[in-house]
Amino acid sequence: MTRHYLMCRPDHFAVEYAINPWMDPEAGADREVAIRQWEGLRGVYEELGHRVSLIDPVEGLPDMVFAANGALVVGGRVYGARFTHPERAAEGPAYLEWFTSNGYTAAREAEFTNEGEGDFLTLDHLVLAGTGFRTEVAAHGEAQEFLGRPVVSLRLVDPRFYHLDTALFPLNGHNVAYFPEAFSPGSQEVLRNLFPDAVVATEDDAVVLGLNAVSDGTHVVINAEATGLQLELKRRGFEVVPVELAELRKAGGGPKCCTLEIRG
């Protein structure tokens, strides 16, 4: 099934501040390498037959490349992001403006702090929602009311996995892959009950952001370093497409962070 993705070229990418454990401003990042790696990811999506739309990058917003954080779009309804950190605050309005300018009339500015698909992951009949570091639990209720989809709250407890999309990704419309230790004991139990056949990742694969992956139900676009997880996905019948995004990982991002899915 063809997917529609929104992406933002990292023309202004840099590691100039630290708002998660991955970021080291002293080490910085190489923008040209990041652009090259991002272009590789975009090319993979297009080769797989998916549609890629682009939002113009804004100078002074080095993390705007992480488009997944910009909104949540389900059934053509756009639930806007409201960022935790002031360094990223202007990204929410920029993404919401893109949607309204492109004909999405059902667009809502959020009342509560949330970071889009960073903490909201959509399956066929429900939305999984992360909290603990960025997104407020109140935003889960706001999203459910606006989207008309059941929202299941999951608590993140390891600061390395500060967004839900660093610790879990949907394999298809009814199953997921995840790293259990990123979640509170109660949330682990919820995940076991909801997804008894889930792919359970190791810490080795989680710490290279192997779970910050994008699946279209057949192909899984995944960080190249997550080799154990790739083998398990192949064993489960998925076609694995490894990509190299090490430069963007210096800001805590991988394939999913760079990819906002637009669900009509």
Side-chain angles (χ1 to χ4, degrees), residues 42-62:
R42 175 189 176 185
V44 162
Y45 291 145
E46 291 174 339
E47 286 169 17
L48 292 174
H50 300 310
R51 176 185 171 195
V52 177
S53 295
L54 299 177
I55 182 173
D56 291 333
V58 176
E59 191 170 0
L61 297 177

PDB file of all heavy atoms in Angstrom, residues 42-62:
ATOM      1  N   ARG A  42      15.073   9.526   1.698  1.00  0.00           N
ATOM      2  CA  ARG A  42      14.001   9.970   0.794  1.00  0.00           C
ATOM      3  C   ARG A  42      13.978   9.111  -0.469  1.00  0.00           C
ATOM      4  O   ARG A  42      12.899   8.697  -0.932  1.00  0.00           O
ATOM      5  CB  ARG A  42      14.208  11.438   0.433  1.00  0.00           C
ATOM      6  CG  ARG A  42      13.232  11.979  -0.588  1.00  0.00           C
ATOM      7  CD  ARG A  42      13.643  13.374  -1.037  1.00  0.00           C
ATOM      8  NE  ARG A  42      12.787  13.893  -2.088  1.00  0.00           N
ATOM      9  CZ  ARG A  42      12.995  15.044  -2.725  1.00  0.00           C
ATOM     10  NH1 ARG A  42      14.017  15.811  -2.394  1.00  0.00           N
ATOM     11  NH2 ARG A  42      12.174  15.445  -3.664  1.00  0.00           N
ATOM     12  N   GLY A  43      15.142   8.832  -1.014  1.00  0.00           N
ATOM     13  CA  GLY A  43      15.230   8.005  -2.211  1.00  0.00           C
ATOM     14  C   GLY A  43      14.680   6.602  -1.999  1.00  0.00           C
ATOM     15  O   GLY A  43      14.024   6.037  -2.886  1.00  0.00           O
ATOM     16  N   VAL A  44      14.915   6.033  -0.824  1.00  0.00           N
ATOM     17  CA  VAL A  44      14.385   4.707  -0.500  1.00  0.00           C
ATOM     18  C   VAL A  44      12.861   4.722  -0.548  1.00  0.00           C
ATOM     19  O   VAL A  44      12.232   3.838  -1.144  1.00  0.00           O
ATOM     20  CB  VAL A  44      14.887   4.256   0.891  1.00  0.00           C
ATOM     21  CG1 VAL A  44      14.018   3.114   1.439  1.00  0.00           C
ATOM     22  CG2 VAL A  44      16.341   3.810   0.813  1.00  0.00           C
ATOM     23  N   TYR A  45      12.255   5.730   0.064  1.00  0.00           N
ATOM     24  CA  TYR A  45      10.790   5.800   0.047  1.00  0.00           C
ATOM     25  C   TYR A  45      10.251   5.889  -1.379  1.00  0.00           C
ATOM     26  O   TYR A  45       9.261   5.233  -1.728  1.00  0.00           O
ATOM     27  CB  TYR A  45      10.305   7.018   0.844  1.00  0.00           C
ATOM     28  CG  TYR A  45      10.526   6.924   2.330  1.00  0.00           C
ATOM     29  CD1 TYR A  45      10.831   8.060   3.079  1.00  0.00           C
ATOM     30  CD2 TYR A  45      10.406   5.705   3.009  1.00  0.00           C
ATOM     31  CE1 TYR A  45      11.018   7.982   4.456  1.00  0.00           C
ATOM     32  CE2 TYR A  45      10.601   5.622   4.379  1.00  0.00           C
ATOM     33  CZ  TYR A  45      10.905   6.769   5.093  1.00  0.00           C
ATOM     34  OH  TYR A  45      11.092   6.694   6.443  1.00  0.00           O
ATOM     35  N   GLU A  46      10.904   6.711  -2.187  1.00  0.00           N
ATOM     36  CA  GLU A  46      10.426   6.876  -3.562  1.00  0.00           C
ATOM     37  C   GLU A  46      10.622   5.599  -4.369  1.00  0.00           C
ATOM     38  O   GLU A  46       9.759   5.219  -5.171  1.00  0.00           O
ATOM     39  CB  GLU A  46      11.127   8.076  -4.197  1.00  0.00           C
ATOM     40  CG  GLU A  46      10.662   9.403  -3.562  1.00  0.00           C
ATOM     41  CD  GLU A  46      11.428  10.612  -4.046  1.00  0.00           C
ATOM     42  OE1 GLU A  46      12.558  10.437  -4.556  1.00  0.00           O
ATOM     43  OE2 GLU A  46      10.901  11.747  -3.913  1.00  0.00           O
ATOM     44  N   GLU A  47      11.718   4.895  -4.126  1.00  0.00           N
ATOM     45  CA  GLU A  47      11.953   3.624  -4.821  1.00  0.00           C
ATOM     46  C   GLU A  47      10.913   2.573  -4.424  1.00  0.00           C
ATOM     47  O   GLU A  47      10.552   1.705  -5.235  1.00  0.00           O
ATOM     48  CB  GLU A  47      13.359   3.106  -4.508  1.00  0.00           C
ATOM     49  CG  GLU A  47      14.469   3.881  -5.212  1.00  0.00           C
ATOM     50  CD  GLU A  47      15.838   3.520  -4.669  1.00  0.00           C
ATOM     51  OE1 GLU A  47      15.959   2.463  -4.008  1.00  0.00           O
ATOM     52  OE2 GLU A  47      16.786   4.296  -4.901  1.00  0.00           O
ATOM     53  N   LEU A  48      10.429   2.656  -3.185  1.00  0.00           N
ATOM     54  CA  LEU A  48       9.397   1.719  -2.726  1.00  0.00           C
ATOM     55  C   LEU A  48       8.015   2.110  -3.213  1.00  0.00           C
ATOM     56  O   LEU A  48       7.032   1.407  -2.949  1.00  0.00           O
ATOM     57  CB  LEU A  48       9.404   1.644  -1.197  1.00  0.00           C
ATOM     58  CG  LEU A  48      10.639   0.997  -0.564  1.00  0.00           C
ATOM     59  CD1 LEU A  48      10.581   1.120   0.956  1.00  0.00           C
ATOM     60  CD2 LEU A  48      10.772  -0.463  -0.980  1.00  0.00           C
ATOM     61  N   GLY A  49       7.912   3.236  -3.926  1.00  0.00           N
ATOM     62  CA  GLY A  49       6.648   3.658  -4.509  1.00  0.00           C
ATOM     63  C   GLY A  49       5.820   4.589  -3.653  1.00  0.00           C
ATOM     64  O   GLY A  49       4.665   4.879  -3.974  1.00  0.00           O
ATOM     65  N   HIS A  50       6.406   5.079  -2.564  1.00  0.00           N
ATOM     66  CA  HIS A  50       5.665   5.972  -1.681  1.00  0.00           C
ATOM     67  C   HIS A  50       5.762   7.411  -2.165  1.00  0.00           C
ATOM     68  O   HIS A  50       6.697   7.787  -2.874  1.00  0.00           O
ATOM     69  CB  HIS A  50       6.190   5.854  -0.250  1.00  0.00           C
ATOM     70  CG  HIS A  50       6.067   4.467   0.304  1.00  0.00           C
ATOM     71  ND1 HIS A  50       4.886   3.752   0.255  1.00  0.00           N
ATOM     72  CD2 HIS A  50       6.975   3.645   0.895  1.00  0.00           C
ATOM     73  CE1 HIS A  50       5.075   2.574   0.796  1.00  0.00           C
ATOM     74  NE2 HIS A  50       6.328   2.478   1.194  1.00  0.00           N
ATOM     75  N   ARG A  51       4.804   8.205  -1.751  1.00  0.00           N
ATOM     76  CA  ARG A  51       4.758   9.626  -2.111  1.00  0.00           C
ATOM     77  C   ARG A  51       5.429  10.438  -1.005  1.00  0.00           C
ATOM     78  O   ARG A  51       5.120  10.273   0.178  1.00  0.00           O
ATOM     79  CB  ARG A  51       3.310  10.060  -2.274  1.00  0.00           C
ATOM     80  CG  ARG A  51       3.109  11.539  -2.555  1.00  0.00           C
ATOM     81  CD  ARG A  51       1.623  11.869  -2.575  1.00  0.00           C
ATOM     82  NE  ARG A  51       1.377  13.303  -2.636  1.00  0.00           N
ATOM     83  CZ  ARG A  51       0.203  13.862  -2.375  1.00  0.00           C
ATOM     84  NH1 ARG A  51      -0.829  13.092  -2.046  1.00  0.00           N
ATOM     85  NH2 ARG A  51       0.055  15.164  -2.439  1.00  0.00           N
ATOM     86  N   VAL A  52       6.336  11.313  -1.387  1.00  0.00           N
ATOM     87  CA  VAL A  52       7.039  12.157  -0.427  1.00  0.00           C
ATOM     88  C   VAL A  52       6.744  13.624  -0.732  1.00  0.00           C
ATOM     89  O   VAL A  52       7.023  14.106  -1.827  1.00  0.00           O
ATOM     90  CB  VAL A  52       8.557  11.916  -0.450  1.00  0.00           C
ATOM     91  CG1 VAL A  52       9.270  12.863   0.515  1.00  0.00           C
ATOM     92  CG2 VAL A  52       8.885  10.468  -0.097  1.00  0.00           C
ATOM     93  N   SER A  53       6.151  14.312   0.238  1.00  0.00           N
ATOM     94  CA  SER A  53       5.972  15.761   0.158  1.00  0.00           C
ATOM     95  C   SER A  53       7.033  16.421   1.024  1.00  0.00           C
ATOM     96  O   SER A  53       7.547  15.821   1.981  1.00  0.00           O
ATOM     97  CB  SER A  53       4.577  16.171   0.644  1.00  0.00           C
ATOM     98  OG  SER A  53       3.579  15.664  -0.215  1.00  0.00           O
ATOM     99  N   LEU A  54       7.358  17.668   0.701  1.00  0.00           N
ATOM    100  CA  LEU A  54       8.417  18.374   1.419  1.00  0.00           C
ATOM    101  C   LEU A  54       7.889  19.666   2.026  1.00  0.00           C
ATOM    102  O   LEU A  54       7.115  20.386   1.399  1.00  0.00           O
ATOM    103  CB  LEU A  54       9.582  18.693   0.482  1.00  0.00           C
ATOM    104  CG  LEU A  54      10.290  17.507  -0.170  1.00  0.00           C
ATOM    105  CD1 LEU A  54      11.374  18.000  -1.115  1.00  0.00           C
ATOM    106  CD2 LEU A  54      10.885  16.579   0.884  1.00  0.00           C
ATOM    107  N   ILE A  55       8.329  19.952   3.236  1.00  0.00           N
ATOM    108  CA  ILE A  55       8.083  21.233   3.878  1.00  0.00           C
ATOM    109  C   ILE A  55       9.392  22.011   3.852  1.00  0.00           C
ATOM    110  O   ILE A  55      10.470  21.432   4.016  1.00  0.00           O
ATOM    111  CB  ILE A  55       7.578  21.045   5.326  1.00  0.00           C
ATOM    112  CG1 ILE A  55       7.275  22.393   5.982  1.00  0.00           C
ATOM    113  CG2 ILE A  55       8.535  20.223   6.169  1.00  0.00           C
ATOM    114  CD1 ILE A  55       6.612  22.275   7.359  1.00  0.00           C
ATOM    115  N   ASP A  56       9.320  23.308   3.600  1.00  0.00           N
ATOM    116  CA  ASP A  56      10.532  24.117   3.534  1.00  0.00           C
ATOM    117  C   ASP A  56      11.173  24.227   4.911  1.00  0.00           C
ATOM    118  O   ASP A  56      10.496  24.572   5.892  1.00  0.00           O
ATOM    119  CB  ASP A  56      10.217  25.521   3.016  1.00  0.00           C
ATOM    120  CG  ASP A  56       9.809  25.526   1.554  1.00  0.00           C
ATOM    121  OD1 ASP A  56      10.237  24.608   0.823  1.00  0.00           O
ATOM    122  OD2 ASP A  56       9.070  26.434   1.149  1.00  0.00           O
ATOM    123  N   PRO A  57      12.477  23.954   5.015  1.00  0.00           N
ATOM    124  CA  PRO A  57      13.154  24.129   6.294  1.00  0.00           C
ATOM    125  C   PRO A  57      13.230  25.607   6.672  1.00  0.00           C
ATOM    126  O   PRO A  57      13.281  26.472   5.796  1.00  0.00           O
ATOM    127  CB  PRO A  57      14.546  23.545   6.051  1.00  0.00           C
ATOM    128  CG  PRO A  57      14.735  23.603   4.571  1.00  0.00           C
ATOM    129  CD  PRO A  57      13.380  23.479   3.956  1.00  0.00           C
ATOM    130  N   VAL A  58      13.218  25.882   7.959  1.00  0.00           N
ATOM    131  CA  VAL A  58      13.254  27.250   8.469  1.00  0.00           C
ATOM    132  C   VAL A  58      14.596  27.484   9.156  1.00  0.00           C
ATOM    133  O   VAL A  58      14.982  26.721  10.041  1.00  0.00           O
ATOM    134  CB  VAL A  58      12.095  27.505   9.454  1.00  0.00           C
ATOM    135  CG1 VAL A  58      12.205  28.904  10.061  1.00  0.00           C
ATOM    136  CG2 VAL A  58      10.750  27.313   8.761  1.00  0.00           C
ATOM    137  N   GLU A  59      15.271  28.526   8.752  1.00  0.00           N
ATOM    138  CA  GLU A  59      16.549  28.852   9.378  1.00  0.00           C
ATOM    139  C   GLU A  59      16.333  29.116  10.868  1.00  0.00           C
ATOM    140  O   GLU A  59      15.349  29.735  11.271  1.00  0.00           O
ATOM    141  CB  GLU A  59      17.171  30.085   8.709  1.00  0.00           C
ATOM    142  CG  GLU A  59      18.600  30.331   9.127  1.00  0.00           C
ATOM    143  CD  GLU A  59      19.281  31.404   8.287  1.00  0.00           C
ATOM    144  OE1 GLU A  59      18.627  31.948   7.376  1.00  0.00           O
ATOM    145  OE2 GLU A  59      20.459  31.679   8.544  1.00  0.00           O
ATOM    146  N   GLY A  60      17.257  28.601  11.673  1.00  0.00           N
ATOM    147  CA  GLY A  60      17.145  28.753  13.118  1.00  0.00           C
ATOM    148  C   GLY A  60      16.415  27.617  13.804  1.00  0.00           C
ATOM    149  O   GLY A  60      16.302  27.607  15.032  1.00  0.00           O
ATOM    150  N   LEU A  61      15.916  26.662  13.007  1.00  0.00           N
ATOM    151  CA  LEU A  61      15.247  25.478  13.558  1.00  0.00           C
ATOM    152  C   LEU A  61      16.004  24.224  13.112  1.00  0.00           C
ATOM    153  O   LEU A  61      15.594  23.527  12.190  1.00  0.00           O
ATOM    154  CB  LEU A  61      13.784  25.425  13.106  1.00  0.00           C
ATOM    155  CG  LEU A  61      12.886  26.579  13.574  1.00  0.00           C
ATOM    156  CD1 LEU A  61      11.485  26.448  12.995  1.00  0.00           C
ATOM    157  CD2 LEU A  61      12.844  26.645  15.101  1.00  0.00           C
ATOM    158  N   PRO A  62      17.142  23.932  13.748  1.00  0.00           N
ATOM    159  CA  PRO A  62      18.000  22.842  13.285  1.00  0.00           C
ATOM    160  C   PRO A  62      17.381  21.460  13.402  1.00  0.00           C
ATOM    161  O   PRO A  62      17.788  20.535  12.698  1.00  0.00           O
ATOM    162  CB  PRO A  62      19.239  22.959  14.188  1.00  0.00           C
ATOM    163  CG  PRO A  62      18.773  23.681  15.405  1.00  0.00           C
ATOM    164  CD  PRO A  62      17.717  24.630  14.917  1.00  0.00           C
TER     165      PRO A  62
END
